[in-house]
Amino acid sequence: MSQSVEQHKSGPAEAIGICVVTISDSRTLETDRGGSLVSELAREEHQILRREIIPDEPQAITDLLQECEQSPEIQAVLMTGGTGISNRDQTYETVSSLFTREIPGYGELFRYLSFAEIGSATILSRTTAGLINQLVVLTMPGSPAAVKLAMKKIILPELRHLVREATK
């Protein structure tokens, strides 16, 4: 990577304050493999300030994101689950409606990379990202394989850069 790319992609030197959210009607902290993996991977470089498991209900999602947006310590929300196409999956519509700016490349890149692992089934993923004012919000499917892909290939390499750009 060239020096100019490294400079461009730089971000805050300090750890980023993160809220990890699992969207599920059935998971608990003990059974939430996806959320646990998000926390484990993010904790290597950043600070997990909050971890929640909430149902896939628009009001619960909206309330939590509004709380995070009002918290000066939380700079990013990493959400897992609720990104499919079943009638219960309402995360995409709810989160997208709150964005002040969408980051379409995130979902596009996730599905592109996911295709190599799961093939055409990747079309069922409605993974999305955007800003709610200066708060970075990224969603991902709930499966540990999808979490690992999103976190290692996209989110962790770009999170500092995203936060820097969002707070300019």
Side-chain angles (χ1 to χ4, degrees), residues 6 18 27 40 57 71 74 81 87 96 115 133 158:
E6 284 181 25
I18 296 173
R27 299 277 187 265
E40 176 186 322
E57 298 288 344
S71 171
I74 296 175
N87 288 331
S96 295
F115 181 78
N133 297 314
E158 292 298 329

Side-chain angles (χ1 to χ4, degrees), residues 3-168:
Q3 185 178 9
S4 63
V5 171
E6 284 181 25
Q7 287 172 340
H8 176 74
K9 289 178 68 164
S10 68
E14 67 277 356
I16 291 168
I18 296 173
C19 174
V20 175
V21 181
T22 297
I23 307 296
S24 176
D25 296 324
S26 61
R27 299 277 187 265
T28 65
L29 285 175
E30 294 76 33
T31 63
D32 178 23
R33 292 179 39 219
S36 293
L37 185 56
V38 171
S39 297
E40 176 186 322
L41 293 171
R43 192 175 290 116
E44 293 175 11
E45 296 180 41
H46 304 293
Q47 188 175 10
I48 307 302
L49 298 177
R50 186 171 176 180
R51 176 145 181 234
E52 299 284 340
I53 298 177
I54 61 173
D56 200 339
E57 298 288 344
Q59 195 59 56
I61 295 168
T62 299
D63 290 348
L64 185 133
L65 289 173
Q66 288 174 341
E67 288 174 24
C68 290
E69 195 272 329
Q70 294 297 310
S71 171
E73 298 86 23
I74 296 175
Q75 298 160 293
V77 177
L78 306 181
M79 304 178 83
T80 179
T83 62
I85 63 168
S86 79
N87 288 331
R88 251 338 258 143
D89 294 323
Q90 301 178 72
T91 302
Y92 176 84
E93 289 80 12
T94 304
V95 172
S96 295
S97 73
L98 299 172
F99 288 156
T100 53
R101 290 188 180 243
E102 190 175 0
I103 306 171
Y106 169 74
E108 295 164 1
L109 180 56
F110 175 81
R111 284 180 287 278
Y112 172 79
L113 295 171
S114 181
F115 181 78
E117 293 187 9
I118 66 168
S120 60
T122 193
I123 68 169
L124 287 100
S125 172
R126 298 183 307 147
T127 299
T128 191
L131 303 178
I132 301 174
N133 297 314
Q134 294 185 335
L135 179 69
V136 175
V137 179
L138 300 118
T139 69
M140 62 198 102
S143 79
V147 166
K148 183 178 177 183
L149 174 71
M151 291 293 290
K152 289 190 169 197
K153 299 278 186 166
I154 308 169
I155 296 172
L156 291 175
E158 292 298 329
L159 192 56
R160 289 182 192 279
H161 185 202
L162 285 165
V163 168
R164 187 193 80 199
E165 291 297 314
T167 57
K168 272 187 175 178

